[in-house]
Amino acid sequence: MTLKLDKVSRGPNLSTLVASSISREIAQGRLKPGDQLPTEQKLAVTFGVSRNVIREAIARLRSEGRIWSQQGRGAFVSDEPNATVLTIDYDALQQATAFRSLFELRGILEVQAAALAAQRRTDADVAAMRDALETMNNVPYGSVTWLTNDLNFHKTVASATGNAYMVQFLMFVSERVRDSILASGNQKKSEELARVTIGEHQRILDAIEARDPDAARLAMLAHLSGAASRVGLPAEPAP
């Protein structure tokens, strides 16, 4: 078995890059159903990353149904891809049209989620959003900690809908958007943009806390429009 695996670039999304590389080997038939993957140690050396990164990549591939693993034996390519598992190819997202489509899907989900969250949220949901926003306000804009708490804020909005499927779909899409932003490195950064972005999140929080679904919907729509411009996506007419 000859695999075409190379060291990956440095960055906070290394596990995504590793998972994408292994997925490509499966898609192109160099890793066939039933084949055993190299050991964690061998993969770590091949990619030039830590074993923790390899474990994260393997966990992601397992959640996508591409591989299965057994303690003491290792990881194996799944015999049959699980058609019920939602996957989005990382390499495809490097194309502008695919990234725009994913961002558009995120908007459809999140705008409605914000409205539902305003109707169904609990005090604990509001407190969790406030904690995430406070952390974002106290760390460098665009840092890994910022992005993690940004994701947590949006996850809490989804959770506040009380719809478990909304959380699953929204987090899946949002994480792929975040990974693509990190990989491209095209997110603009400045103190002014940090202030604007915090303000957008604050308006979402205020609307949800006030139980105002229309205001929450508009606040989320405005935020996603601003976020799109900050990662280089041209503005489109609002629906």
Side-chain angles (χ1 to χ4, degrees):
M1 176 173 55
T2 302
L3 304 181
K4 295 183 179 180
L5 303 175
D6 299 308
K7 293 186 185 299
V8 295
S9 303
R10 310 309 300 173
N13 60 327
L14 291 177
S15 61
T16 299
L17 296 174
V18 170
S20 177
S21 183
I22 295 173
S23 293
R24 186 164 51 248
E25 297 301 295
I26 295 172
Q28 295 180 359
R30 285 186 289 273
L31 276 173
K32 296 179 172 55
D35 281 351
Q36 183 172 10
L37 270 62
T39 64
E40 286 183 1
Q41 182 59 37
K42 288 182 178 179
L43 288 173
V45 171
T46 299
F47 286 109
V49 298
S50 70
R51 291 181 68 174
N52 282 339
V53 169
I54 298 299
R55 291 189 189 106
E56 290 174 10
I58 295 298
R60 182 165 185 160
L61 291 168
R62 187 168 56 243
S63 71
E64 293 177 351
R66 298 181 187 273
I67 67 169
W68 63 276
S69 58
Q70 184 175 22
Q71 188 171 4
R73 291 189 60 197
F76 301 82
V77 179
S78 296
D79 291 332
E80 295 182 8
N82 189 344
T84 65
V85 176
L86 177 63
T87 63
I88 296 177
D89 184 71
Y90 175 81
D91 290 332
L93 289 181
Q94 305 316 299
Q95 303 174 19
T97 53
F99 182 58
R100 169 176 284 285
S101 295
L102 185 65
F103 214 94
E104 186 176 73
L105 175 59
R106 178 191 177 194
I108 293 169
L109 292 170
E110 291 216 59
V111 169
Q112 183 60 22
L116 288 175
Q119 296 172 308
R120 302 172 180 176
R121 62 85 176 165
T122 66
D123 290 343
D125 293 325
V126 172
M129 290 178 218
R130 189 176 291 115
D131 287 346
L133 188 55
E134 183 177 352
T135 301
M136 291 168 64
N137 205 24
N138 289 301
V139 298
Y141 175 60
S143 65
V144 175
T145 303
W146 164 288
L147 291 170
T148 298
N149 281 275
D150 187 1
L151 194 64
N152 286 341
F153 180 94
H154 288 271
K155 182 176 182 179
T156 304
V157 172
S159 179
T161 68
N163 186 322
Y165 296 117
M166 181 75 77
V167 178
Q168 292 178 31
F169 274 83
L170 209 159
M171 284 303 96
F172 178 85
V173 172
S174 295
E175 286 174 358
R176 271 56 182 182
V177 168
R178 182 195 62 172
D179 289 344
S180 295
I181 291 172
L182 286 170
S184 65
N186 65 347
Q187 186 179 33
K188 301 173 183 176
K189 299 179 182 180
S190 73
E191 290 186 6
E192 174 62 16
L193 286 179
R195 183 189 65 77
V196 169
T197 308
I198 288 291
E200 291 170 358
H201 283 82
Q202 185 65 57
R203 285 186 284 277
I204 294 168
L205 172 57
D206 291 344
I208 291 175
E209 185 172 18
R211 299 188 186 279
D212 187 335
D214 290 334
R217 186 181 292 109
L218 290 173
M220 182 63 79
L221 185 62
H223 168 55
L224 293 175
S225 177
S229 68
R230 288 189 285 274
V231 297
L233 289 176
E236 288 191 340

